[in-house]
C-alpha cells in the first residue's frame, strides 16, 4: 500500500493539523479524502484525511488527526476517494462556510477560487490566521446574508450538525450552486459496506464514503 509520512504537526490546527508527504497522485482534491492507517497502531480503523491545501511534498491535512501521528510516523494511504467539491468555472463570488467543523476542510478551495478571480468570503467563528488578504472573514451569524451575495456556496458540517441544524432547516436560502461536505466517520471507505457513514440528504439515504462526502444542496 502506498505510504505517506507525517512531516510536521501544527499547534494551531485551525489552518491544518499536519503536513503529510506523499506521492502527488495521492493528494486529495478539496472535499475528497484518503483513508489513512498507522500500521504500528493497535487501532484497526482507518481515519479519513482531508486536504487543507497543497504543500511542496504533499498536502496539509485538516484536523482532527490522531494525536499519536507525530512527525516521522509512516501511514498507509488509500485514495483519493469520494466526490469532492466542484467549483463552477463561472463562480465569481464564493462563500466557504464551516458550520461546526474546522474551516481547514474548505481551505483547499481558496487557491481554486483565487485562480478564477473570484471574491471569497470565509464564514466561520474560529478563522485561521495568515489567510490571503483577499479572503474576507465573516462570522457564522452572517451566513444567511452571505448566501444572498454568493453565486456558489461550499458548506462543511458534521453529520450531527447536518441532522440537527442545517439539513432540516428551510430557512437557509442557498445560492443555486451550493454543495455540502458532510464530515462523518468513514472507516471502510465503501470496501466492507459497513454503512457507518450513511447520511440523509434531500433525495434519501446515501453513503458518505461513496456517494459523497460532498453532496449537492
Ligand atoms: S464507510 Fe463503510 S460503507 Fe461507508
Amino acid at each position: 500500500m502506498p505510504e505517506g509520512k507525517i512531516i510536521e504537526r501544527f499547534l494551531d490546527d485551525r489552518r491544518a493539523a499536519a503536513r503529510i508527504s506523499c506521492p502527488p497522485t495521492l493528494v486529495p482534491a478539496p472535499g475528497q479524502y484518503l483513508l489513512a492507517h498507522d500500521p504500528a497502531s493497535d487501532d484497526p480503523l482507518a481515519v479519513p484525511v482531508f486536504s487543507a491545501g497543497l504543500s511542496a511534498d504533499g498536502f496539509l491535512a485538516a484536523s482532527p488527526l490522531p494525536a499519536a501521528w507525530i512527525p516521522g510516523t509512516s501511514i498507509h494511504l488509500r485514495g483519493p476517494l469520494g466526490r469532492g467539491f466542484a467549483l463552477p468555472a463561472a463562480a465569481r463570488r464564493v462563500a466557504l462556510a464551516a458550520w461546526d467543523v474546522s474551516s481547514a476542510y474548505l481551505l483547499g478551495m481558496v487557491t481554486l477560487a483565487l485562480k478564477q478571480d473570484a471574491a471569497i468570503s470565509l464564514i466561520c467563528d474560529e478563522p485561521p490566521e495568515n489567510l490571503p488578504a483577499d479572503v474576507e472573514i465573516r462570522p457564522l451569524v452572517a451566513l444567511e446574508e452571505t448566501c444572498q451575495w454568493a453565486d456558489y456556496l461550499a458548506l462543511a458540517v458534521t453529520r450531527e450538525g447536518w441532522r440537527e441544524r442545517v439539513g432540516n432547516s428551510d430557512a437557509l436560502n442557498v445560492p443555486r450552486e451550493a454543495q455540502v461536505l458532510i464530515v462523518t466517520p468513514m472507516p471502510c471507505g465503501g470496501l466492507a459496506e459497513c454503512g457507518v457513514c450513511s447520511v440523509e440528504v434531500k433525495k434519501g439515504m446515501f453513503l458518505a464514503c461513496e456517494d459523497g462526502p460532498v453532496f449537492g444542496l
Side-chain angles (χ1 to χ4, degrees), residues 20 49 90 112 149 167-168:
I20 297 178
V49 176
L112 300 181
W149 162 84
N168 295 327

Side-chain angles (χ1 to χ4, degrees), residues 33 35 185-198 207-210:
Y33 65 100
L35 272 189
M186 295 184 287
C188 83
L191 270 188
E193 297 182 1
C194 68
V196 165
C197 65
S198 62
L207 296 177
C209 66
E210 288 187 333

Side-chain angles (χ1 to χ4, degrees), residues 3-41:
E3 287 225 336
K5 186 176 270 192
I6 306 292
I7 302 298
E8 202 176 348
R9 287 294 303 233
F10 303 112
L11 282 179
D12 178 1
D13 63 6
R14 288 174 299 176
R15 175 67 184 85
R19 178 161 64 90
I20 297 178
S21 71
C22 68
T25 51
L26 286 182
V27 174
Q32 286 190 307
Y33 65 100
L34 296 173
L35 272 189
H37 181 251
D38 174 4
S41 139

